Each structure stands twice: as structure tokens, then as C-alpha cells.
Amino acid sequence: MVVMRRVVCVWVALVGCAAGPSPDAPADAPPPSPDAPPVTPPGPCKMKPLVPGTVTLAGCSVNGTDDGPRDSARFANPTNVLILPNRDVVVADFDNGRIRAISPDGTTTTVLARDDFKHPFGLALAADGTLYAETDDNDLGVHTTSTGTIWRVNLISRTASVVARDLGRPRGLAVLADGRIAMADHMHHTVSILDPATGIATPLAGALDVAGHANGTGAGARFAQPYDVAVLPGGDLVVTDMDNHRLRRVTLAGVVTDFSGSGERGTLDGTSAIARYDGPQGLARSPDGTLYVTDVRAHYVRRIATNGVVTTVAGDGTSGFVDADRPREARFYGLEGIDASATQVVVSDGNIGDGQPFHRVRRIDIAAFPD
């Protein structure tokens, strides 16, 4: 996702408010039996200090909804992240159905939790500080491949309202300069534009439910799981085309061309024409125009310089969890979402829905990347 950096909101009290009692708790619940063993809260996560390199910002192998200090916070399959101008990190806590916020020291709070907000994934920030979030379920409690819903989230009041429902599965979001939202729908192989003022989505490129690879214009172009989207400095879009192992450029006129990757599956670094990817999914653009990609099936973070050269900057290619001073020695599991600032890259390292014990948000210092 792309973060618009001109923000006029005051980010006050985003982190540090404790969650109140659960609204679902029965009012007449009987007191616990005096003979019942006490409920033991989960112990602290074991983690490295917040030192340069690749380090866990919050979360661990144990899932949950706990807010609090870095070693006490719990998530359940975090799928996406977004860095705010004040350096807090917004997290799509997928299995918990929550939006969370992590401060730079790892302290975690819940921003949004409501019964009709289920399976959040896509995140994007507008210039006025509005957070847009996508949920795979709609607000009526229906979950199909067509119930993707876009929400407008106020980070100050911690409230949300539906912009548009039943849009497909638009997990990739990016806010354009004019305030419209570019959406990549990986299940229906399309890219579209949503006007949040009207709730109307307009197709931009790709043919509905037709996978393939073809450059062209509008419905004449083909994608195969277009997953995430970012806005390039000139206003064009770049999309991770997951099953084509490429990144694609899409103009706002709907013209689609190859942007990076030969299309052959692999992990070869090099120029845009020869580089290889293995399931590129998450995408972020840093303020200097550098792109960062989660090559999820290869368990790598890749960097695309402004000259188009692709370099693997984090991960040793092995599935798992290791924090490391040298990012290339780190291990990741389900690095689906990514965002970048001038100094750091943050990834959501969940379990890609397979139930394995990976529920972390990881931070990588850009200064630690190999040259």
C-alpha cells in the first residue's frame, strides 16, 4: 500500500488507551467458584531488544487480543501494516477482526473492534489522515468471494463507516492524489478505482474472473492474482501480479505493461527485465521512490531501486522465524503486508491462514540492508 505523507490530522491518543470491558460479556455472569484455579494471563513473549537489524516490533508465537507493552501484546494472523507519519504502525489483525496500533516502542492498543468488522486486510492512508481499510466480509456478516468492503476509519475517534460493500476481494489499496482509491482484486484478476465520495467503483484494467498475462488496455489486459498496489511518483500505478511473478505498471487510462520481472518463477536479482520473483504479494513505496516487495513464497523482502534494479534485502529463504542483526540472516513465515518509511520497513509476519504459530509484526532498519 502507499501512504500519502501530507497529513493534517493530529495523531493524539492513538496509542495508550486501554480497552474497556468486552461488550459481549454477560451482565449476570456468576462469580467464579472459589475452588476454580485462577486464570493465568499469558507470559511475556521472548524477543530481542529493539536494536537495528530485523527485530520483532510486537507479537509472538501465541495468538490473542492482548494490548499492552511489546512483550505482552498478542495478534492473530496479522496480514497488513501501514506506517503513520508519527511512526506508529497500524495493523490489520485478520483473525481477530481488529485494527491495532503499535507505537515505536512496541506498545500495542486496539483502534477498532466491532462485531460487523471481520477479516481486515487492505490498508491505505489519505492525505487528510483518513484510514481506508478493506474487510473480506461485508458489514452484514456475509463472507463470499464478492463481499469485500471498504471502510472509512477515523483514527482519532476510533470509529468506522462503510464506504462501499460487495466489491469483490480488493485487498490491495492505494489512495490517488485526487482522493480516489485504486484497488487490486486478486480473486477476480482486476484493478479498479473507487470514488469514496459516491461509493462507485469503476473498472480500470483486467477482465473479471479471467486470469492470464497480457499487456494491453482496460479489459484487454490480463492479470493473475493482482494483489497489492502502489502509486508511482508520476501517478501511474504499480501492481504485484502474484501468479505471473511480475510487477505491472497500470496508467490511469488503463494501459498495462510489464514493470519488473521476467515472468519466470525464481529469486534472481538483477535488472527489471531479468529479475525473478516467486509470488510477489505485498508492495510499498518509500518516500525516495524505492519499492519494497514481499516475495511471500520465497520468504524474502525484495527492493526495487528507482533505476529498476532488484535486490533481495531481507530473509534467508527459509520459512520460519529468526530475528537477526543482518536482515539477510532473518527468517520470515507469512510476510503478506509491507510498508516503508525513510528509515525502516515493517512487515506483517502472520501465518497466511494455515493456523501455524506466527503472529508477529517485524521491523527492518533500512540502514542494515546490504548494499
Side-chain angles (χ1 to χ4, degrees), residues 16-52:
C17 298
S22 167
D24 299 323
D28 56 352
S33 166
D35 298 324
V39 176
T40 303
C45 302
K46 295 181 180 180
M47 52 181 61
K48 291 182 59 171
L50 284 172
V51 296

PDB file of all heavy atoms in Angstrom, residues 16-52:
ATOM      1  N   GLY A  16      -2.144   4.128  23.627  1.00  0.00           N
ATOM      2  CA  GLY A  16      -2.050   4.356  25.047  1.00  0.00           C
ATOM      3  C   GLY A  16      -3.383   4.269  25.753  1.00  0.00           C
ATOM      4  O   GLY A  16      -3.427   4.392  26.963  1.00  0.00           O
ATOM      5  N   CYS A  17      -4.485   4.092  25.045  1.00  0.00           N
ATOM      6  CA  CYS A  17      -5.782   3.959  25.677  1.00  0.00           C
ATOM      7  C   CYS A  17      -6.063   2.492  25.901  1.00  0.00           C
ATOM      8  O   CYS A  17      -6.010   1.711  24.977  1.00  0.00           O
ATOM      9  CB  CYS A  17      -6.880   4.550  24.813  1.00  0.00           C
ATOM     10  SG  CYS A  17      -6.673   6.314  24.536  1.00  0.00           S
ATOM     11  N   ALA A  18      -6.389   2.124  27.112  1.00  0.00           N
ATOM     12  CA  ALA A  18      -6.682   0.730  27.412  1.00  0.00           C
ATOM     13  C   ALA A  18      -8.070   0.380  26.940  1.00  0.00           C
ATOM     14  O   ALA A  18      -8.986   1.197  26.970  1.00  0.00           O
ATOM     15  CB  ALA A  18      -6.566   0.484  28.925  1.00  0.00           C
ATOM     16  N   ALA A  19      -8.232  -0.847  26.466  1.00  0.00           N
ATOM     17  CA  ALA A  19      -9.545  -1.291  26.027  1.00  0.00           C
ATOM     18  C   ALA A  19     -10.439  -1.517  27.225  1.00  0.00           C
ATOM     19  O   ALA A  19      -9.998  -1.971  28.281  1.00  0.00           O
ATOM     20  CB  ALA A  19      -9.415  -2.577  25.209  1.00  0.00           C
ATOM     21  N   GLY A  20     -11.719  -1.199  27.094  1.00  0.00           N
ATOM     22  CA  GLY A  20     -12.661  -1.396  28.181  1.00  0.00           C
ATOM     23  C   GLY A  20     -13.169  -2.816  28.202  1.00  0.00           C
ATOM     24  O   GLY A  20     -12.734  -3.676  27.446  1.00  0.00           O
ATOM     25  N   PRO A  21     -14.140  -3.093  29.080  1.00  0.00           N
ATOM     26  CA  PRO A  21     -14.695  -4.438  29.159  1.00  0.00           C
ATOM     27  C   PRO A  21     -15.350  -4.833  27.859  1.00  0.00           C
ATOM     28  O   PRO A  21     -15.859  -4.003  27.114  1.00  0.00           O
ATOM     29  CB  PRO A  21     -15.728  -4.310  30.300  1.00  0.00           C
ATOM     30  CG  PRO A  21     -15.347  -3.084  31.063  1.00  0.00           C
ATOM     31  CD  PRO A  21     -14.715  -2.172  30.059  1.00  0.00           C
ATOM     32  N   SER A  22     -15.330  -6.118  27.567  1.00  0.00           N
ATOM     33  CA  SER A  22     -15.935  -6.616  26.341  1.00  0.00           C
ATOM     34  C   SER A  22     -17.432  -6.351  26.353  1.00  0.00           C
ATOM     35  O   SER A  22     -18.110  -6.636  27.341  1.00  0.00           O
ATOM     36  CB  SER A  22     -15.691  -8.122  26.208  1.00  0.00           C
ATOM     37  OG  SER A  22     -16.496  -8.658  25.202  1.00  0.00           O
ATOM     38  N   PRO A  23     -17.999  -5.784  25.261  1.00  0.00           N
ATOM     39  CA  PRO A  23     -19.443  -5.558  25.223  1.00  0.00           C
ATOM     40  C   PRO A  23     -20.230  -6.850  25.170  1.00  0.00           C
ATOM     41  O   PRO A  23     -21.442  -6.842  25.359  1.00  0.00           O
ATOM     42  CB  PRO A  23     -19.629  -4.749  23.938  1.00  0.00           C
ATOM     43  CG  PRO A  23     -18.459  -5.122  23.087  1.00  0.00           C
ATOM     44  CD  PRO A  23     -17.328  -5.339  24.044  1.00  0.00           C
ATOM     45  N   ASP A  24     -19.564  -7.981  24.901  1.00  0.00           N
ATOM     46  CA  ASP A  24     -20.256  -9.257  24.816  1.00  0.00           C
ATOM     47  C   ASP A  24     -20.289  -9.992  26.147  1.00  0.00           C
ATOM     48  O   ASP A  24     -20.842 -11.079  26.242  1.00  0.00           O
ATOM     49  CB  ASP A  24     -19.597 -10.152  23.769  1.00  0.00           C
ATOM     50  CG  ASP A  24     -19.638  -9.514  22.394  1.00  0.00           C
ATOM     51  OD1 ASP A  24     -20.645  -8.871  22.097  1.00  0.00           O
ATOM     52  OD2 ASP A  24     -18.665  -9.654  21.646  1.00  0.00           O
ATOM     53  N   ALA A  25     -19.664  -9.430  27.173  1.00  0.00           N
ATOM     54  CA  ALA A  25     -19.646 -10.101  28.469  1.00  0.00           C
ATOM     55  C   ALA A  25     -21.042 -10.082  29.085  1.00  0.00           C
ATOM     56  O   ALA A  25     -21.685  -9.030  29.137  1.00  0.00           O
ATOM     57  CB  ALA A  25     -18.660  -9.412  29.407  1.00  0.00           C
ATOM     58  N   PRO A  26     -21.561 -11.223  29.550  1.00  0.00           N
ATOM     59  CA  PRO A  26     -22.902 -11.232  30.132  1.00  0.00           C
ATOM     60  C   PRO A  26     -22.953 -10.434  31.419  1.00  0.00           C
ATOM     61  O   PRO A  26     -22.071 -10.522  32.270  1.00  0.00           O
ATOM     62  CB  PRO A  26     -23.168 -12.728  30.367  1.00  0.00           C
ATOM     63  CG  PRO A  26     -21.805 -13.359  30.449  1.00  0.00           C
ATOM     64  CD  PRO A  26     -20.931 -12.539  29.544  1.00  0.00           C
ATOM     65  N   ALA A  27     -24.014  -9.637  31.580  1.00  0.00           N
ATOM     66  CA  ALA A  27     -24.106  -8.774  32.749  1.00  0.00           C
ATOM     67  C   ALA A  27     -24.325  -9.582  34.017  1.00  0.00           C
ATOM     68  O   ALA A  27     -23.978  -9.148  35.116  1.00  0.00           O
ATOM     69  CB  ALA A  27     -25.245  -7.784  32.555  1.00  0.00           C
ATOM     70  N   ASP A  28     -24.965 -10.761  33.881  1.00  0.00           N
ATOM     71  CA  ASP A  28     -25.296 -11.544  35.068  1.00  0.00           C
ATOM     72  C   ASP A  28     -24.426 -12.782  35.190  1.00  0.00           C
ATOM     73  O   ASP A  28     -24.835 -13.790  35.741  1.00  0.00           O
ATOM     74  CB  ASP A  28     -26.773 -11.951  35.021  1.00  0.00           C
ATOM     75  CG  ASP A  28     -27.133 -12.718  33.750  1.00  0.00           C
ATOM     76  OD1 ASP A  28     -26.276 -12.788  32.856  1.00  0.00           O
ATOM     77  OD2 ASP A  28     -28.265 -13.247  33.681  1.00  0.00           O
ATOM     78  N   ALA A  29     -23.228 -12.727  34.663  1.00  0.00           N
ATOM     79  CA  ALA A  29     -22.335 -13.884  34.754  1.00  0.00           C
ATOM     80  C   ALA A  29     -22.044 -14.188  36.217  1.00  0.00           C
ATOM     81  O   ALA A  29     -21.743 -13.283  37.003  1.00  0.00           O
ATOM     82  CB  ALA A  29     -21.036 -13.594  34.008  1.00  0.00           C
ATOM     83  N   PRO A  30     -22.144 -15.452  36.617  1.00  0.00           N
ATOM     84  CA  PRO A  30     -21.903 -15.789  38.021  1.00  0.00           C
ATOM     85  C   PRO A  30     -20.437 -15.619  38.360  1.00  0.00           C
ATOM     86  O   PRO A  30     -19.567 -15.748  37.502  1.00  0.00           O
ATOM     87  CB  PRO A  30     -22.328 -17.261  38.094  1.00  0.00           C
ATOM     88  CG  PRO A  30     -22.127 -17.776  36.699  1.00  0.00           C
ATOM     89  CD  PRO A  30     -22.477 -16.621  35.804  1.00  0.00           C
ATOM     90  N   PRO A  31     -20.127 -15.326  39.619  1.00  0.00           N
ATOM     91  CA  PRO A  31     -18.723 -15.211  40.011  1.00  0.00           C
ATOM     92  C   PRO A  31     -18.048 -16.566  39.913  1.00  0.00           C
ATOM     93  O   PRO A  31     -18.701 -17.611  40.005  1.00  0.00           O
ATOM     94  CB  PRO A  31     -18.810 -14.718  41.464  1.00  0.00           C
ATOM     95  CG  PRO A  31     -20.142 -15.193  41.942  1.00  0.00           C
ATOM     96  CD  PRO A  31     -21.052 -15.117  40.744  1.00  0.00           C
ATOM     97  N   PRO A  32     -16.744 -16.586  39.691  1.00  0.00           N
ATOM     98  CA  PRO A  32     -16.052 -17.870  39.605  1.00  0.00           C
ATOM     99  C   PRO A  32     -16.092 -18.619  40.922  1.00  0.00           C
ATOM    100  O   PRO A  32     -16.154 -18.015  41.999  1.00  0.00           O
ATOM    101  CB  PRO A  32     -14.620 -17.456  39.228  1.00  0.00           C
ATOM    102  CG  PRO A  32     -14.492 -16.044  39.696  1.00  0.00           C
ATOM    103  CD  PRO A  32     -15.842 -15.439  39.541  1.00  0.00           C
ATOM    104  N   SER A  33     -16.073 -19.932  40.818  1.00  0.00           N
ATOM    105  CA  SER A  33     -16.063 -20.759  42.015  1.00  0.00           C
ATOM    106  C   SER A  33     -14.790 -20.507  42.801  1.00  0.00           C
ATOM    107  O   SER A  33     -13.701 -20.364  42.223  1.00  0.00           O
ATOM    108  CB  SER A  33     -16.146 -22.235  41.614  1.00  0.00           C
ATOM    109  OG  SER A  33     -15.810 -23.063  42.707  1.00  0.00           O
ATOM    110  N   PRO A  34     -14.889 -20.428  44.125  1.00  0.00           N
ATOM    111  CA  PRO A  34     -13.664 -20.225  44.910  1.00  0.00           C
ATOM    112  C   PRO A  34     -12.675 -21.361  44.761  1.00  0.00           C
ATOM    113  O   PRO A  34     -11.493 -21.217  45.067  1.00  0.00           O
ATOM    114  CB  PRO A  34     -14.194 -20.111  46.349  1.00  0.00           C
ATOM    115  CG  PRO A  34     -15.542 -20.765  46.320  1.00  0.00           C
ATOM    116  CD  PRO A  34     -16.093 -20.503  44.954  1.00  0.00           C
ATOM    117  N   ASP A  35     -13.172 -22.536  44.292  1.00  0.00           N
ATOM    118  CA  ASP A  35     -12.282 -23.681  44.120  1.00  0.00           C
ATOM    119  C   ASP A  35     -11.661 -23.731  42.724  1.00  0.00           C
ATOM    120  O   ASP A  35     -10.802 -24.572  42.455  1.00  0.00           O
ATOM    121  CB  ASP A  35     -13.045 -24.986  44.364  1.00  0.00           C
ATOM    122  CG  ASP A  35     -13.585 -25.067  45.795  1.00  0.00           C
ATOM    123  OD1 ASP A  35     -12.885 -24.573  46.704  1.00  0.00           O
ATOM    124  OD2 ASP A  35     -14.690 -25.592  45.968  1.00  0.00           O
ATOM    125  N   ALA A  36     -12.125 -22.847  41.833  1.00  0.00           N
ATOM    126  CA  ALA A  36     -11.600 -22.874  40.473  1.00  0.00           C
ATOM    127  C   ALA A  36     -10.188 -22.310  40.451  1.00  0.00           C
ATOM    128  O   ALA A  36      -9.882 -21.348  41.179  1.00  0.00           O
ATOM    129  CB  ALA A  36     -12.490 -22.051  39.548  1.00  0.00           C
ATOM    130  N   PRO A  37      -9.309 -22.900  39.663  1.00  0.00           N
ATOM    131  CA  PRO A  37      -7.943 -22.356  39.586  1.00  0.00           C
ATOM    132  C   PRO A  37      -7.963 -20.966  38.971  1.00  0.00           C
ATOM    133  O   PRO A  37      -8.797 -20.665  38.110  1.00  0.00           O
ATOM    134  CB  PRO A  37      -7.212 -23.353  38.678  1.00  0.00           C
ATOM    135  CG  PRO A  37      -8.291 -23.999  37.875  1.00  0.00           C
ATOM    136  CD  PRO A  37      -9.499 -24.041  38.765  1.00  0.00           C
ATOM    137  N   PRO A  38      -7.092 -20.078  39.390  1.00  0.00           N
ATOM    138  CA  PRO A  38      -7.056 -18.728  38.818  1.00  0.00           C
ATOM    139  C   PRO A  38      -6.661 -18.768  37.352  1.00  0.00           C
ATOM    140  O   PRO A  38      -5.926 -19.650  36.903  1.00  0.00           O
ATOM    141  CB  PRO A  38      -5.995 -18.009  39.664  1.00  0.00           C
ATOM    142  CG  PRO A  38      -5.124 -19.113  40.189  1.00  0.00           C
ATOM    143  CD  PRO A  38      -6.051 -20.290  40.394  1.00  0.00           C
ATOM    144  N   VAL A  39      -7.198 -17.826  36.586  1.00  0.00           N
ATOM    145  CA  VAL A  39      -6.841 -17.715  35.184  1.00  0.00           C
ATOM    146  C   VAL A  39      -5.468 -17.063  35.082  1.00  0.00           C
ATOM    147  O   VAL A  39      -5.244 -15.973  35.604  1.00  0.00           O
ATOM    148  CB  VAL A  39      -7.878 -16.886  34.411  1.00  0.00           C
ATOM    149  CG1 VAL A  39      -7.453 -16.701  32.967  1.00  0.00           C
ATOM    150  CG2 VAL A  39      -9.245 -17.558  34.498  1.00  0.00           C
ATOM    151  N   THR A  40      -4.571 -17.750  34.444  1.00  0.00           N
ATOM    152  CA  THR A  40      -3.201 -17.248  34.325  1.00  0.00           C
ATOM    153  C   THR A  40      -3.045 -16.500  33.009  1.00  0.00           C
ATOM    154  O   THR A  40      -3.284 -17.073  31.936  1.00  0.00           O
ATOM    155  CB  THR A  40      -2.191 -18.404  34.364  1.00  0.00           C
ATOM    156  OG1 THR A  40      -2.378 -19.141  35.572  1.00  0.00           O
ATOM    157  CG2 THR A  40      -0.761 -17.874  34.289  1.00  0.00           C
ATOM    158  N   PRO A  41      -2.710 -15.223  33.062  1.00  0.00           N
ATOM    159  CA  PRO A  41      -2.502 -14.497  31.806  1.00  0.00           C
ATOM    160  C   PRO A  41      -1.293 -15.043  31.068  1.00  0.00           C
ATOM    161  O   PRO A  41      -0.409 -15.657  31.679  1.00  0.00           O
ATOM    162  CB  PRO A  41      -2.274 -13.055  32.267  1.00  0.00           C
ATOM    163  CG  PRO A  41      -1.763 -13.184  33.675  1.00  0.00           C
ATOM    164  CD  PRO A  41      -2.443 -14.400  34.235  1.00  0.00           C
ATOM    165  N   PRO A  42      -1.251 -14.869  29.752  1.00  0.00           N
ATOM    166  CA  PRO A  42      -0.084 -15.377  29.019  1.00  0.00           C
ATOM    167  C   PRO A  42       1.186 -14.697  29.475  1.00  0.00           C
ATOM    168  O   PRO A  42       1.193 -13.505  29.821  1.00  0.00           O
ATOM    169  CB  PRO A  42      -0.414 -15.022  27.565  1.00  0.00           C
ATOM    170  CG  PRO A  42      -1.408 -13.909  27.657  1.00  0.00           C
ATOM    171  CD  PRO A  42      -2.196 -14.170  28.889  1.00  0.00           C
ATOM    172  N   GLY A  43       2.251 -15.450  29.509  1.00  0.00           N
ATOM    173  CA  GLY A  43       3.528 -14.881  29.910  1.00  0.00           C
ATOM    174  C   GLY A  43       4.086 -13.989  28.830  1.00  0.00           C
ATOM    175  O   GLY A  43       3.589 -13.952  27.699  1.00  0.00           O
ATOM    176  N   PRO A  44       5.126 -13.255  29.155  1.00  0.00           N
ATOM    177  CA  PRO A  44       5.711 -12.354  28.156  1.00  0.00           C
ATOM    178  C   PRO A  44       6.348 -13.116  27.004  1.00  0.00           C
ATOM    179  O   PRO A  44       6.838 -14.233  27.168  1.00  0.00           O
ATOM    180  CB  PRO A  44       6.760 -11.580  28.959  1.00  0.00           C
ATOM    181  CG  PRO A  44       7.086 -12.467  30.117  1.00  0.00           C
ATOM    182  CD  PRO A  44       5.825 -13.199  30.444  1.00  0.00           C
ATOM    183  N   CYS A  45       6.287 -12.510  25.829  1.00  0.00           N
ATOM    184  CA  CYS A  45       6.965 -13.089  24.675  1.00  0.00           C
ATOM    185  C   CYS A  45       8.471 -12.936  24.862  1.00  0.00           C
ATOM    186  O   CYS A  45       8.947 -11.926  25.381  1.00  0.00           O
ATOM    187  CB  CYS A  45       6.550 -12.362  23.396  1.00  0.00           C
ATOM    188  SG  CYS A  45       4.782 -12.370  23.055  1.00  0.00           S
ATOM    189  N   LYS A  46       9.206 -13.917  24.394  1.00  0.00           N
ATOM    190  CA  LYS A  46      10.658 -13.821  24.394  1.00  0.00           C
ATOM    191  C   LYS A  46      11.102 -13.182  23.089  1.00  0.00           C
ATOM    192  O   LYS A  46      10.807 -13.698  22.015  1.00  0.00           O
ATOM    193  CB  LYS A  46      11.286 -15.206  24.555  1.00  0.00           C
ATOM    194  CG  LYS A  46      10.998 -15.865  25.897  1.00  0.00           C
ATOM    195  CD  LYS A  46      11.672 -17.232  26.000  1.00  0.00           C
ATOM    196  CE  LYS A  46      11.378 -17.867  27.351  1.00  0.00           C
ATOM    197  NZ  LYS A  46      12.029 -19.212  27.462  1.00  0.00           N
ATOM    198  N   MET A  47      11.773 -12.055  23.175  1.00  0.00           N
ATOM    199  CA  MET A  47      12.167 -11.343  21.965  1.00  0.00           C
ATOM    200  C   MET A  47      13.431 -10.549  22.193  1.00  0.00           C
ATOM    201  O   MET A  47      13.780 -10.193  23.321  1.00  0.00           O
ATOM    202  CB  MET A  47      11.042 -10.430  21.488  1.00  0.00           C
ATOM    203  CG  MET A  47      10.494  -9.487  22.531  1.00  0.00           C
ATOM    204  SD  MET A  47       9.132  -8.446  21.894  1.00  0.00           S
ATOM    205  CE  MET A  47       7.920  -9.656  21.450  1.00  0.00           C
ATOM    206  N   LYS A  48      14.122 -10.277  21.095  1.00  0.00           N
ATOM    207  CA  LYS A  48      15.326  -9.469  21.156  1.00  0.00           C
ATOM    208  C   LYS A  48      14.975  -8.025  21.489  1.00  0.00           C
ATOM    209  O   LYS A  48      13.860  -7.570  21.218  1.00  0.00           O
ATOM    210  CB  LYS A  48      16.047  -9.505  19.803  1.00  0.00           C
ATOM    211  CG  LYS A  48      16.662 -10.825  19.425  1.00  0.00           C
ATOM    212  CD  LYS A  48      17.376 -10.711  18.089  1.00  0.00           C
ATOM    213  CE  LYS A  48      18.473  -9.652  18.135  1.00  0.00           C
ATOM    214  NZ  LYS A  48      19.310  -9.676  16.904  1.00  0.00           N
ATOM    215  N   PRO A  49      15.923  -7.288  22.057  1.00  0.00           N
ATOM    216  CA  PRO A  49      15.677  -5.854  22.241  1.00  0.00           C
ATOM    217  C   PRO A  49      15.468  -5.165  20.889  1.00  0.00           C
ATOM    218  O   PRO A  49      15.819  -5.702  19.835  1.00  0.00           O
ATOM    219  CB  PRO A  49      16.969  -5.367  22.911  1.00  0.00           C
ATOM    220  CG  PRO A  49      17.609  -6.587  23.480  1.00  0.00           C
ATOM    221  CD  PRO A  49      17.219  -7.716  22.584  1.00  0.00           C
ATOM    222  N   LEU A  50      14.894  -3.983  20.924  1.00  0.00           N
ATOM    223  CA  LEU A  50      14.655  -3.215  19.708  1.00  0.00           C
ATOM    224  C   LEU A  50      15.955  -2.570  19.236  1.00  0.00           C
ATOM    225  O   LEU A  50      16.202  -1.374  19.431  1.00  0.00           O
ATOM    226  CB  LEU A  50      13.579  -2.153  19.952  1.00  0.00           C
ATOM    227  CG  LEU A  50      12.141  -2.666  20.020  1.00  0.00           C
ATOM    228  CD1 LEU A  50      11.205  -1.553  20.471  1.00  0.00           C
ATOM    229  CD2 LEU A  50      11.697  -3.206  18.659  1.00  0.00           C
ATOM    230  N   VAL A  51      16.779  -3.398  18.617  1.00  0.00           N
ATOM    231  CA  VAL A  51      18.076  -2.953  18.133  1.00  0.00           C
ATOM    232  C   VAL A  51      18.034  -2.913  16.608  1.00  0.00           C
ATOM    233  O   VAL A  51      17.133  -3.471  15.983  1.00  0.00           O
ATOM    234  CB  VAL A  51      19.193  -3.895  18.619  1.00  0.00           C
ATOM    235  CG1 VAL A  51      19.304  -3.853  20.142  1.00  0.00           C
ATOM    236  CG2 VAL A  51      18.937  -5.332  18.145  1.00  0.00           C
ATOM    237  N   PRO A  52      18.985  -2.245  15.964  1.00  0.00           N
ATOM    238  CA  PRO A  52      18.992  -2.229  14.495  1.00  0.00           C
ATOM    239  C   PRO A  52      19.086  -3.640  13.912  1.00  0.00           C
ATOM    240  O   PRO A  52      19.620  -4.558  14.531  1.00  0.00           O
ATOM    241  CB  PRO A  52      20.239  -1.400  14.170  1.00  0.00           C
ATOM    242  CG  PRO A  52      20.429  -0.518  15.356  1.00  0.00           C
ATOM    243  CD  PRO A  52      20.017  -1.354  16.537  1.00  0.00           C
TER     244      PRO A  52
END
